[in-house]
Amino acid sequence: MRQIKDDIFEVGAIDWDRRLFDELIPLPDGTSYNAYLIKGSEKVALIDTVDPSKVNVLFDNLQTAGAGKIDYVICNHAEQDHSGSIGFVLEKHPCAKVVTNEKCKQMLMSLLKIEEQKFITIEDGQELSLGNKTLRFIFTPWVHWPETMSTYLVEDKILFPCDFFGSHLAASELYVKNKELVIEGAKRYYAEIMMPFRGQIKSNLEKIKDLDIGIIAPSHGPLYDEPEFIINAYKQWTSDDVVNKVIVAYVSMHGSTKKMVEHLTETLMEKGVGVLQFNLVNADIGKLAIELVDSAGVVIASPTVLTGAHPAAVYAAFLFNALRPKTKYLAVIGSFGWSGRMLEQLKSLLPNTKAELLAPVIIKGDPAGEDYKKLDELAETIKIKHREYKII
Ligand code: FEO
C-alpha cells in the first residue's frame, strides 16, 4: 500500500514474475496492476482492481489503508487484469456498486457474470460525488478496447487512465524515477496494444488536453508526477512523423537470404540510412513492435518453404498488418529454390497496410552479381524516400 495524498492510496499489486501477457506479449520487466482507493468524506471508491491471482494483495492493502466499507468500484476497463477481482470485492462489500459505462457493463456481465443490479451506469463527462471529492468520468475509447474510460479526481487533479499511458514494469518506486526504463516500457505497451488505434488515441489526447492534471496514475507501472513527460511521448508516437530507420526482419534457412540481408544492410548504412536487423527466429517480438512505432520502413526477408514464405516471416507480416504502424514503405526480399509464391502470400497478409510496397527482390538460389545490383537499387530507392521525408 502506498499513499499518494491524504485519503488517496495505491492499493494494487506488483507482479515481479509475470513474463507473458495474454499468452502472447512478452513482459521482460514484469508488470503491476495498480488500483486506487479514494476515501471521500461521505463515500469510499476503489478505482479498478487487480488480476485475480493477486486479489489477496489487494485485500491486504485495502486493510492497511483503512478502507472500511467500499461504496463504489469504478471500472475503467473490463479486461481481467483490472476487473478480474471485482467479484471478490463485491462478495466482501455486498452493498458496493460497480460504476462504469454501458459498454463496459455489458462486458463485465458477460466476462465476469456480474448481475445487472450491481451497476451504476454513467455517461461521458458525468461526475460522482464522494463528499469532499469528485470523480469525473471521461470516455477514452480504444486504449485498447472499445469501452475504455478514464477517471479524473477533480479536487486533487489526478487522472486515472487505466492502460492509457501505462507501462508493463514492475518497479518499487511509486513515481517515475528511471525515465529511460519507463519510456521503453510505455512505448512497448503502446506498440503492442494501442498502436492499431493511433487515430483514436490522438482524439483522446485532444480530449484531455485542457484538463488540469497534476498526476497521471495509470493501472500498470509507475505514476507520473510530471504528466507532460508521458503525454509528449504519446504525442510523438501518434504523430505522422517517422525517423531515419528501416527494420530488416529476416529469417534464413541455408544462408542465401542472410547474404541478401547483409548486403542490403551494408549498402543502406553506406547511404546514411539507419538499419535495425531482427532475426525472426529468436527476436523479441515486443522489441520489434517498439521499433515499428516510428520506423520509416520495413523490409521482410524470407526464404521459401513449401512454395510460400517461412512461417516466421508469415508471423511478422501478420503482426505488421495487425499493429498497423505508421511505416511509410514496405519491401519483400528473399530467395527460392525452384518456384514460389512467397510474395503473393505475404501481400495477401497485409490488407490493412497503407505503406507503399516497393519493388521486391526475389531471387533464385544463392545471390550473385545481378541480384546484388537489384538490392543496390532497392537501397537507393529507400535512401531517396528518406530524403523526401527529410529524415536524412
Ligand atoms: Fe491492462 Fe487492457 O488491460
Side-chain angles (χ1 to χ4, degrees):
M1 188 281 289
R2 296 173 292 182
Q3 184 158 12
I4 299 171
K5 289 189 177 189
D6 285 348
D7 299 322
I8 305 169
F9 305 87
E10 196 286 300
V11 290
I14 299 172
D15 198 337
W16 301 95
D17 296 326
R18 191 155 180 184
R19 286 293 173 269
L20 203 57
F21 197 83
D22 292 345
E23 301 298 358
L24 173 69
I25 298 169
L27 301 180
D29 301 311
T31 191
S32 67
Y33 319 107
N34 304 341
Y36 299 94
L37 180 74
I38 318 288
K39 292 160 74 175
S41 56
E42 292 173 19
K43 301 283 183 184
V44 173
L46 175 64
I47 300 181
D48 293 318
T49 67
V50 296
D51 188 272
S53 62
K54 297 288 181 188
V55 67
N56 289 339
V57 179
L58 173 69
F59 285 142
D60 285 350
N61 286 341
L62 285 170
Q63 192 171 17
T64 309
K69 175 171 148 282
I70 291 173
D71 300 287
Y72 304 120
V73 183
I74 315 299
C75 184
N76 283 322
H77 176 26
E79 195 166 13
Q80 291 91 330
D81 52 326
H82 310 293
S83 71
S85 296
I86 290 178
F88 300 113
V89 174
L90 293 179
E91 273 176 26
K92 284 210 175 200
H93 300 268
C95 295
K97 293 286 185 187
V98 181
V99 179
T100 192
N101 60 67
E102 178 64 28
K103 271 188 191 156
C104 190
K105 180 183 95 173
Q106 294 300 332
M107 286 182 176
L108 293 176
M109 288 168 60
S110 153
L111 292 170
L112 302 177
K113 311 303 177 204
I114 298 174
E115 295 167 2
E116 188 158 19
Q117 66 266 25
K118 288 285 184 188
F119 288 90
I120 295 174
T121 310
I122 47 84
E123 300 294 332
D124 191 14
Q126 194 172 329
E127 294 188 342
L128 178 71
S129 174
L130 306 180
N132 61 343
K133 295 187 186 297
T134 312
L135 300 178
R136 184 186 303 159
F137 306 106
I138 302 163
F139 289 10
T140 44
W142 293 108
V143 286
H144 55 123
W145 282 11
E147 88 300 359
T148 49
M149 67 179 201
S150 301
T151 299
Y152 179 62
L153 180 53
V154 177
E155 291 79 4
D156 296 277
K157 301 176 182 170
I158 304 177
L159 184 71
F160 301 94
C162 203
D163 282 346
F164 196 16
F165 302 125
S167 61
H168 276 313
L169 183 62
S172 58
E173 64 261 26
L174 183 60
Y175 294 102
V176 172
K177 273 210 173 75
N178 184 337
K179 285 187 174 173
E180 224 168 278
L181 192 64
V182 173
I183 209 68
E184 167 144 352
K187 193 174 186 183
R188 176 182 282 267
Y189 199 37
Y190 166 82
E192 288 165 340
I193 64 167
M194 294 177 218
M195 187 157 61
F197 313 109
R198 186 166 66 96
Q200 190 62 57
I201 290 168
K202 261 183 177 176
S203 304
N204 290 336
L205 290 172
E206 191 62 24
K207 194 167 180 181
I208 63 162
K209 83 174 188 319
D210 294 328
L211 274 184
D212 186 2
I213 302 172
I215 295 171
I216 292 180
S219 291
H220 296 290
L223 284 65
Y224 304 91
D225 50 1
E226 295 174 32
E228 289 306 311
F229 165 65
I230 190 66
I231 291 173
N232 287 339
Y234 262 72
K235 281 183 185 166
Q236 184 63 31
W237 300 337
T238 56
S239 76
D240 293 335
D241 299 341
V242 290
V243 301
N244 177 26
K245 189 166 57 182
V246 51
I247 292 171
V248 180
Y250 75 94
V251 53
S252 185
M253 289 158 62
H254 298 291
S256 302
T257 304
K258 177 71 174 167
K259 283 181 191 167
M260 297 175 74
V261 164
E262 289 302 334
H263 183 84
L264 181 66
T265 299
E266 283 171 22
T267 313
L268 285 168
M269 286 168 65
E270 282 165 14
K271 291 174 183 293
V273 176
V275 185
L276 274 170
Q277 279 190 16
F278 283 90
N279 184 341
L280 293 167
V281 174
N282 52 19
D284 172 355
I285 293 300
K287 190 88 179 159
L288 178 57
I290 289 174
E291 298 302 338
L292 282 173
V293 169
D294 49 17
S295 286
V298 170
V299 174
I300 298 177
S302 173
T304 302
V305 180
L306 300 174
T307 76
H310 189 287
V314 169
Y315 184 44
F318 174 85
L319 275 184
F320 185 87
N321 187 64
L323 294 176
R324 301 186 205 188
K326 58 187 174 186
T327 313
K328 305 285 188 193
Y329 63 85
L330 180 73
V332 176
I333 66 172
S335 166
F336 64 92
W338 53 96
S339 71
R341 295 191 312 104
M342 179 208 321
L343 183 65
E344 292 72 19
Q345 183 197 30
L346 290 176
K347 273 164 108 175
S348 74
L349 293 168
L350 297 162
N352 292 338
T353 186
K354 291 187 177 131
E356 178 187 357
L357 281 172
L358 304 184
V361 182
I362 310 291
I363 66 155
K364 186 169 181 0
D366 214 33
E370 274 306 307
D371 305 322
Y372 287 121
K373 272 193 193 158
K374 285 181 191 159
L375 290 170
D376 292 343
E377 285 164 18
L378 175 60
E380 183 61 18
T381 304
I382 289 173
K383 184 187 86 173
I384 292 167
K385 296 260 166 233
H386 283 222
R387 287 226 173 117
E388 284 170 9
Y389 309 143
K390 296 187 172 47
I391 53 176
I392 53 173

PDB file of all heavy atoms in Angstrom, residues 21-22 31-33 77-83 143-145 147-148 162-164 168 189 193-194 219-220, ligand 1:
ATOM      1  N   PHE A  21       1.923 -11.903 -21.205  1.00  0.00           N
ATOM      2  CA  PHE A  21       0.576 -11.363 -21.019  1.00  0.00           C
ATOM      3  C   PHE A  21      -0.297 -11.870 -22.155  1.00  0.00           C
ATOM      4  O   PHE A  21       0.133 -11.907 -23.312  1.00  0.00           O
ATOM      5  CB  PHE A  21       0.636  -9.824 -21.036  1.00  0.00           C
ATOM      6  CG  PHE A  21      -0.585  -9.183 -20.465  1.00  0.00           C
ATOM      7  CD1 PHE A  21      -0.717  -9.029 -19.097  1.00  0.00           C
ATOM      8  CD2 PHE A  21      -1.614  -8.759 -21.282  1.00  0.00           C
ATOM      9  CE1 PHE A  21      -1.844  -8.456 -18.557  1.00  0.00           C
ATOM     10  CE2 PHE A  21      -2.740  -8.191 -20.748  1.00  0.00           C
ATOM     11  CZ  PHE A  21      -2.857  -8.031 -19.388  1.00  0.00           C
ATOM     12  N   ASP A  22      -1.518 -12.226 -21.827  1.00  0.00           N
ATOM     13  CA  ASP A  22      -2.445 -12.769 -22.840  1.00  0.00           C
ATOM     14  C   ASP A  22      -1.819 -13.967 -23.562  1.00  0.00           C
ATOM     15  O   ASP A  22      -2.163 -14.242 -24.716  1.00  0.00           O
ATOM     16  CB  ASP A  22      -2.833 -11.705 -23.879  1.00  0.00           C
ATOM     17  CG  ASP A  22      -3.681 -10.600 -23.283  1.00  0.00           C
ATOM     18  OD1 ASP A  22      -4.200 -10.779 -22.164  1.00  0.00           O
ATOM     19  OD2 ASP A  22      -3.836  -9.553 -23.939  1.00  0.00           O
ATOM     20  N   THR A  31       5.242  -6.624 -14.388  1.00  0.00           N
ATOM     21  CA  THR A  31       4.210  -5.582 -14.535  1.00  0.00           C
ATOM     22  C   THR A  31       3.633  -5.270 -13.155  1.00  0.00           C
ATOM     23  O   THR A  31       4.070  -5.832 -12.138  1.00  0.00           O
ATOM     24  CB  THR A  31       3.102  -6.013 -15.524  1.00  0.00           C
ATOM     25  OG1 THR A  31       2.273  -4.878 -15.812  1.00  0.00           O
ATOM     26  CG2 THR A  31       2.240  -7.134 -14.968  1.00  0.00           C
ATOM     27  N   SER A  32       2.673  -4.383 -13.131  1.00  0.00           N
ATOM     28  CA  SER A  32       1.905  -4.161 -11.900  1.00  0.00           C
ATOM     29  C   SER A  32       0.445  -3.968 -12.290  1.00  0.00           C
ATOM     30  O   SER A  32       0.141  -3.638 -13.449  1.00  0.00           O
ATOM     31  CB  SER A  32       2.422  -2.940 -11.128  1.00  0.00           C
ATOM     32  OG  SER A  32       2.173  -1.754 -11.862  1.00  0.00           O
ATOM     33  N   TYR A  33      -0.431  -4.242 -11.345  1.00  0.00           N
ATOM     34  CA  TYR A  33      -1.866  -3.983 -11.537  1.00  0.00           C
ATOM     35  C   TYR A  33      -2.215  -2.941 -10.482  1.00  0.00           C
ATOM     36  O   TYR A  33      -2.431  -3.292  -9.319  1.00  0.00           O
ATOM     37  CB  TYR A  33      -2.693  -5.253 -11.338  1.00  0.00           C
ATOM     38  CG  TYR A  33      -2.043  -6.480 -11.943  1.00  0.00           C
ATOM     39  CD1 TYR A  33      -1.462  -7.449 -11.127  1.00  0.00           C
ATOM     40  CD2 TYR A  33      -1.979  -6.656 -13.318  1.00  0.00           C
ATOM     41  CE1 TYR A  33      -0.833  -8.558 -11.666  1.00  0.00           C
ATOM     42  CE2 TYR A  33      -1.348  -7.760 -13.872  1.00  0.00           C
ATOM     43  CZ  TYR A  33      -0.777  -8.706 -13.040  1.00  0.00           C
ATOM     44  OH  TYR A  33      -0.142  -9.794 -13.577  1.00  0.00           O
ATOM     45  N   HIS A  77     -12.027  -0.273 -17.265  1.00  0.00           N
ATOM     46  CA  HIS A  77     -11.690  -1.172 -18.384  1.00  0.00           C
ATOM     47  C   HIS A  77     -12.061  -2.593 -17.963  1.00  0.00           C
ATOM     48  O   HIS A  77     -11.748  -3.018 -16.844  1.00  0.00           O
ATOM     49  CB  HIS A  77     -10.184  -1.025 -18.639  1.00  0.00           C
ATOM     50  CG  HIS A  77      -9.598  -1.914 -19.685  1.00  0.00           C
ATOM     51  ND1 HIS A  77     -10.302  -2.444 -20.754  1.00  0.00           N
ATOM     52  CD2 HIS A  77      -8.308  -2.349 -19.849  1.00  0.00           C
ATOM     53  CE1 HIS A  77      -9.485  -3.156 -21.505  1.00  0.00           C
ATOM     54  NE2 HIS A  77      -8.288  -3.133 -20.979  1.00  0.00           N
ATOM     55  N   ALA A  78     -12.700  -3.325 -18.866  1.00  0.00           N
ATOM     56  CA  ALA A  78     -13.232  -4.642 -18.500  1.00  0.00           C
ATOM     57  C   ALA A  78     -12.209  -5.767 -18.577  1.00  0.00           C
ATOM     58  O   ALA A  78     -12.502  -6.895 -18.174  1.00  0.00           O
ATOM     59  CB  ALA A  78     -14.423  -4.985 -19.403  1.00  0.00           C
ATOM     60  N   GLU A  79     -11.003  -5.514 -19.096  1.00  0.00           N
ATOM     61  CA  GLU A  79     -10.035  -6.616 -19.189  1.00  0.00           C
ATOM     62  C   GLU A  79      -9.687  -7.102 -17.783  1.00  0.00           C
ATOM     63  O   GLU A  79      -9.547  -6.318 -16.836  1.00  0.00           O
ATOM     64  CB  GLU A  79      -8.781  -6.199 -19.968  1.00  0.00           C
ATOM     65  CG  GLU A  79      -7.958  -7.431 -20.367  1.00  0.00           C
ATOM     66  CD  GLU A  79      -6.883  -7.158 -21.413  1.00  0.00           C
ATOM     67  OE1 GLU A  79      -6.574  -5.992 -21.685  1.00  0.00           O
ATOM     68  OE2 GLU A  79      -6.347  -8.149 -21.946  1.00  0.00           O
ATOM     69  N   GLN A  80      -9.487  -8.407 -17.697  1.00  0.00           N
ATOM     70  CA  GLN A  80      -9.475  -9.050 -16.375  1.00  0.00           C
ATOM     71  C   GLN A  80      -8.276  -8.709 -15.496  1.00  0.00           C
ATOM     72  O   GLN A  80      -8.329  -8.941 -14.287  1.00  0.00           O
ATOM     73  CB  GLN A  80      -9.578 -10.575 -16.546  1.00  0.00           C
ATOM     74  CG  GLN A  80     -10.929 -11.041 -17.061  1.00  0.00           C
ATOM     75  CD  GLN A  80     -10.993 -11.122 -18.575  1.00  0.00           C
ATOM     76  OE1 GLN A  80     -10.326 -10.375 -19.280  1.00  0.00           O
ATOM     77  NE2 GLN A  80     -11.812 -12.025 -19.098  1.00  0.00           N
ATOM     78  N   ASP A  81      -7.206  -8.177 -16.073  1.00  0.00           N
ATOM     79  CA  ASP A  81      -6.086  -7.790 -15.202  1.00  0.00           C
ATOM     80  C   ASP A  81      -6.467  -6.598 -14.314  1.00  0.00           C
ATOM     81  O   ASP A  81      -5.787  -6.322 -13.323  1.00  0.00           O
ATOM     82  CB  ASP A  81      -4.804  -7.488 -15.993  1.00  0.00           C
ATOM     83  CG  ASP A  81      -5.012  -6.499 -17.122  1.00  0.00           C
ATOM     84  OD1 ASP A  81      -6.092  -6.501 -17.730  1.00  0.00           O
ATOM     85  OD2 ASP A  81      -4.082  -5.709 -17.391  1.00  0.00           O
ATOM     86  N   HIS A  82      -7.572  -5.936 -14.644  1.00  0.00           N
ATOM     87  CA  HIS A  82      -8.083  -4.840 -13.801  1.00  0.00           C
ATOM     88  C   HIS A  82      -9.449  -5.150 -13.196  1.00  0.00           C
ATOM     89  O   HIS A  82      -9.763  -4.708 -12.102  1.00  0.00           O
ATOM     90  CB  HIS A  82      -8.184  -3.546 -14.616  1.00  0.00           C
ATOM     91  CG  HIS A  82      -6.924  -3.244 -15.356  1.00  0.00           C
ATOM     92  ND1 HIS A  82      -5.758  -2.924 -14.718  1.00  0.00           N
ATOM     93  CD2 HIS A  82      -6.622  -3.289 -16.680  1.00  0.00           C
ATOM     94  CE1 HIS A  82      -4.792  -2.754 -15.611  1.00  0.00           C
ATOM     95  NE2 HIS A  82      -5.295  -2.982 -16.804  1.00  0.00           N
ATOM     96  N   SER A  83     -10.238  -5.879 -13.949  1.00  0.00           N
ATOM     97  CA  SER A  83     -11.612  -6.133 -13.491  1.00  0.00           C
ATOM     98  C   SER A  83     -11.760  -7.481 -12.779  1.00  0.00           C
ATOM     99  O   SER A  83     -12.752  -7.716 -12.084  1.00  0.00           O
ATOM    100  CB  SER A  83     -12.570  -6.124 -14.695  1.00  0.00           C
ATOM    101  OG  SER A  83     -12.352  -7.279 -15.492  1.00  0.00           O
ATOM    102  N   VAL A 143      -8.353   2.374 -26.035  1.00  0.00           N
ATOM    103  CA  VAL A 143      -6.997   2.241 -25.477  1.00  0.00           C
ATOM    104  C   VAL A 143      -6.972   1.037 -24.520  1.00  0.00           C
ATOM    105  O   VAL A 143      -6.701   1.183 -23.370  1.00  0.00           O
ATOM    106  CB  VAL A 143      -6.543   3.511 -24.756  1.00  0.00           C
ATOM    107  CG1 VAL A 143      -6.207   4.609 -25.710  1.00  0.00           C
ATOM    108  CG2 VAL A 143      -7.568   4.004 -23.755  1.00  0.00           C
ATOM    109  N   HIS A 144      -7.265  -0.056 -24.994  1.00  0.00           N
ATOM    110  CA  HIS A 144      -7.257  -0.592 -26.325  1.00  0.00           C
ATOM    111  C   HIS A 144      -8.531  -1.366 -26.658  1.00  0.00           C
ATOM    112  O   HIS A 144      -8.586  -2.061 -27.677  1.00  0.00           O
ATOM    113  CB  HIS A 144      -6.058  -1.543 -26.462  1.00  0.00           C
ATOM    114  CG  HIS A 144      -6.075  -2.621 -25.373  1.00  0.00           C
ATOM    115  ND1 HIS A 144      -6.078  -3.951 -25.669  1.00  0.00           N
ATOM    116  CD2 HIS A 144      -6.153  -2.553 -24.012  1.00  0.00           C
ATOM    117  CE1 HIS A 144      -6.104  -4.669 -24.537  1.00  0.00           C
ATOM    118  NE2 HIS A 144      -6.148  -3.834 -23.528  1.00  0.00           N
ATOM    119  N   TRP A 145      -9.527  -1.300 -25.793  1.00  0.00           N
ATOM    120  CA  TRP A 145     -10.825  -1.914 -26.063  1.00  0.00           C
ATOM    121  C   TRP A 145     -11.836  -0.784 -26.269  1.00  0.00           C
ATOM    122  O   TRP A 145     -11.558   0.370 -25.884  1.00  0.00           O
ATOM    123  CB  TRP A 145     -11.263  -2.795 -24.867  1.00  0.00           C
ATOM    124  CG  TRP A 145     -10.594  -4.146 -24.761  1.00  0.00           C
ATOM    125  CD1 TRP A 145      -9.515  -4.594 -25.462  1.00  0.00           C
ATOM    126  CD2 TRP A 145     -10.980  -5.223 -23.871  1.00  0.00           C
ATOM    127  NE1 TRP A 145      -9.187  -5.870 -25.061  1.00  0.00           N
ATOM    128  CE2 TRP A 145     -10.071  -6.287 -24.094  1.00  0.00           C
ATOM    129  CE3 TRP A 145     -11.979  -5.402 -22.928  1.00  0.00           C
ATOM    130  CZ2 TRP A 145     -10.139  -7.505 -23.414  1.00  0.00           C
ATOM    131  CZ3 TRP A 145     -12.046  -6.613 -22.236  1.00  0.00           C
ATOM    132  CH2 TRP A 145     -11.146  -7.649 -22.490  1.00  0.00           C
ATOM    133  N   GLU A 147     -14.519   0.000 -24.733  1.00  0.00           N
ATOM    134  CA  GLU A 147     -15.212   0.540 -23.557  1.00  0.00           C
ATOM    135  C   GLU A 147     -14.305   1.365 -22.646  1.00  0.00           C
ATOM    136  O   GLU A 147     -14.760   1.891 -21.627  1.00  0.00           O
ATOM    137  CB  GLU A 147     -15.809  -0.631 -22.751  1.00  0.00           C
ATOM    138  CG  GLU A 147     -14.901  -1.274 -21.697  1.00  0.00           C
ATOM    139  CD  GLU A 147     -13.609  -1.880 -22.225  1.00  0.00           C
ATOM    140  OE1 GLU A 147     -13.352  -1.856 -23.430  1.00  0.00           O
ATOM    141  OE2 GLU A 147     -12.822  -2.374 -21.397  1.00  0.00           O
ATOM    142  N   THR A 148     -13.009   1.478 -22.960  1.00  0.00           N
ATOM    143  CA  THR A 148     -12.061   2.075 -22.004  1.00  0.00           C
ATOM    144  C   THR A 148     -12.421   3.525 -21.674  1.00  0.00           C
ATOM    145  O   THR A 148     -12.837   4.294 -22.532  1.00  0.00           O
ATOM    146  CB  THR A 148     -10.614   2.015 -22.541  1.00  0.00           C
ATOM    147  OG1 THR A 148     -10.584   2.510 -23.873  1.00  0.00           O
ATOM    148  CG2 THR A 148     -10.085   0.602 -22.532  1.00  0.00           C
ATOM    149  N   CYS A 162      -6.165   4.100 -16.549  1.00  0.00           N
ATOM    150  CA  CYS A 162      -6.039   2.642 -16.705  1.00  0.00           C
ATOM    151  C   CYS A 162      -4.876   2.301 -17.648  1.00  0.00           C
ATOM    152  O   CYS A 162      -3.772   2.763 -17.421  1.00  0.00           O
ATOM    153  CB  CYS A 162      -7.357   2.022 -17.154  1.00  0.00           C
ATOM    154  SG  CYS A 162      -7.446   0.267 -16.724  1.00  0.00           S
ATOM    155  N   ASP A 163      -5.108   1.532 -18.726  1.00  0.00           N
ATOM    156  CA  ASP A 163      -3.996   1.129 -19.597  1.00  0.00           C
ATOM    157  C   ASP A 163      -3.316   2.326 -20.275  1.00  0.00           C
ATOM    158  O   ASP A 163      -2.099   2.306 -20.521  1.00  0.00           O
ATOM    159  CB  ASP A 163      -4.503   0.196 -20.709  1.00  0.00           C
ATOM    160  CG  ASP A 163      -4.736  -1.225 -20.234  1.00  0.00           C
ATOM    161  OD1 ASP A 163      -4.269  -1.587 -19.142  1.00  0.00           O
ATOM    162  OD2 ASP A 163      -5.407  -1.976 -20.970  1.00  0.00           O
ATOM    163  N   PHE A 164      -4.117   3.311 -20.650  1.00  0.00           N
ATOM    164  CA  PHE A 164      -3.646   4.521 -21.340  1.00  0.00           C
ATOM    165  C   PHE A 164      -2.478   5.119 -20.525  1.00  0.00           C
ATOM    166  O   PHE A 164      -2.635   5.360 -19.323  1.00  0.00           O
ATOM    167  CB  PHE A 164      -4.842   5.482 -21.375  1.00  0.00           C
ATOM    168  CG  PHE A 164      -4.750   6.634 -22.331  1.00  0.00           C
ATOM    169  CD1 PHE A 164      -3.834   6.668 -23.369  1.00  0.00           C
ATOM    170  CD2 PHE A 164      -5.624   7.718 -22.183  1.00  0.00           C
ATOM    171  CE1 PHE A 164      -3.792   7.745 -24.253  1.00  0.00           C
ATOM    172  CE2 PHE A 164      -5.598   8.786 -23.053  1.00  0.00           C
ATOM    173  CZ  PHE A 164      -4.675   8.801 -24.082  1.00  0.00           C
ATOM    174  N   HIS A 168       4.274  -1.722 -18.792  1.00  0.00           N
ATOM    175  CA  HIS A 168       4.452  -3.019 -18.128  1.00  0.00           C
ATOM    176  C   HIS A 168       5.817  -3.000 -17.468  1.00  0.00           C
ATOM    177  O   HIS A 168       6.845  -3.256 -18.108  1.00  0.00           O
ATOM    178  CB  HIS A 168       4.358  -4.162 -19.145  1.00  0.00           C
ATOM    179  CG  HIS A 168       2.956  -4.576 -19.440  1.00  0.00           C
ATOM    180  ND1 HIS A 168       2.021  -4.803 -18.455  1.00  0.00           N
ATOM    181  CD2 HIS A 168       2.324  -4.818 -20.614  1.00  0.00           C
ATOM    182  CE1 HIS A 168       0.876  -5.171 -19.009  1.00  0.00           C
ATOM    183  NE2 HIS A 168       1.021  -5.172 -20.311  1.00  0.00           N
ATOM    184  N   TYR A 189       4.333  -0.973 -24.463  1.00  0.00           N
ATOM    185  CA  TYR A 189       2.908  -1.200 -24.203  1.00  0.00           C
ATOM    186  C   TYR A 189       2.042  -0.530 -25.269  1.00  0.00           C
ATOM    187  O   TYR A 189       1.100  -1.124 -25.798  1.00  0.00           O
ATOM    188  CB  TYR A 189       2.564  -0.652 -22.812  1.00  0.00           C
ATOM    189  CG  TYR A 189       1.291  -1.216 -22.248  1.00  0.00           C
ATOM    190  CD1 TYR A 189       0.940  -2.541 -22.461  1.00  0.00           C
ATOM    191  CD2 TYR A 189       0.444  -0.433 -21.495  1.00  0.00           C
ATOM    192  CE1 TYR A 189      -0.224  -3.060 -21.943  1.00  0.00           C
ATOM    193  CE2 TYR A 189      -0.730  -0.936 -20.972  1.00  0.00           C
ATOM    194  CZ  TYR A 189      -1.055  -2.253 -21.204  1.00  0.00           C
ATOM    195  OH  TYR A 189      -2.216  -2.757 -20.690  1.00  0.00           O
ATOM    196  N   ILE A 193      -0.395  -2.874 -27.950  1.00  0.00           N
ATOM    197  CA  ILE A 193      -1.862  -2.931 -27.897  1.00  0.00           C
ATOM    198  C   ILE A 193      -2.571  -1.674 -28.393  1.00  0.00           C
ATOM    199  O   ILE A 193      -3.737  -1.739 -28.761  1.00  0.00           O
ATOM    200  CB  ILE A 193      -2.378  -3.273 -26.477  1.00  0.00           C
ATOM    201  CG1 ILE A 193      -2.006  -2.184 -25.478  1.00  0.00           C
ATOM    202  CG2 ILE A 193      -1.892  -4.641 -26.028  1.00  0.00           C
ATOM    203  CD1 ILE A 193      -2.759  -2.328 -24.162  1.00  0.00           C
ATOM    204  N   MET A 194      -1.881  -0.528 -28.399  1.00  0.00           N
ATOM    205  CA  MET A 194      -2.604   0.701 -28.742  1.00  0.00           C
ATOM    206  C   MET A 194      -2.306   1.221 -30.143  1.00  0.00           C
ATOM    207  O   MET A 194      -3.106   1.962 -30.711  1.00  0.00           O
ATOM    208  CB  MET A 194      -2.283   1.791 -27.715  1.00  0.00           C
ATOM    209  CG  MET A 194      -2.822   1.452 -26.334  1.00  0.00           C
ATOM    210  SD  MET A 194      -2.375   2.689 -25.133  1.00  0.00           S
ATOM    211  CE  MET A 194      -2.047   1.684 -23.714  1.00  0.00           C
ATOM    212  N   SER A 219      -2.787   2.187 -14.614  1.00  0.00           N
ATOM    213  CA  SER A 219      -3.010   0.914 -13.932  1.00  0.00           C
ATOM    214  C   SER A 219      -1.887  -0.096 -14.154  1.00  0.00           C
ATOM    215  O   SER A 219      -1.986  -1.234 -13.712  1.00  0.00           O
ATOM    216  CB  SER A 219      -4.357   0.321 -14.347  1.00  0.00           C
ATOM    217  OG  SER A 219      -5.377   1.125 -13.826  1.00  0.00           O
ATOM    218  N   HIS A 220      -0.846   0.311 -14.883  1.00  0.00           N
ATOM    219  CA  HIS A 220       0.380  -0.503 -14.976  1.00  0.00           C
ATOM    220  C   HIS A 220       1.572   0.432 -14.839  1.00  0.00           C
ATOM    221  O   HIS A 220       1.604   1.495 -15.471  1.00  0.00           O
ATOM    222  CB  HIS A 220       0.502  -1.203 -16.340  1.00  0.00           C
ATOM    223  CG  HIS A 220      -0.562  -2.212 -16.628  1.00  0.00           C
ATOM    224  ND1 HIS A 220      -0.659  -3.419 -15.969  1.00  0.00           N
ATOM    225  CD2 HIS A 220      -1.568  -2.204 -17.539  1.00  0.00           C
ATOM    226  CE1 HIS A 220      -1.680  -4.105 -16.459  1.00  0.00           C
ATOM    227  NE2 HIS A 220      -2.251  -3.391 -17.404  1.00  0.00           N
TER     228      HIS A 220
HETATM  229 FE1  FEO B   1      -4.174  -3.792 -18.536  1.00  0.00          FE
HETATM  230 FE2  FEO B   1      -6.180  -3.937 -21.237  1.00  0.00          FE
HETATM  231  O1  FEO B   1      -5.546  -4.427 -19.600  1.00  0.00           O
END
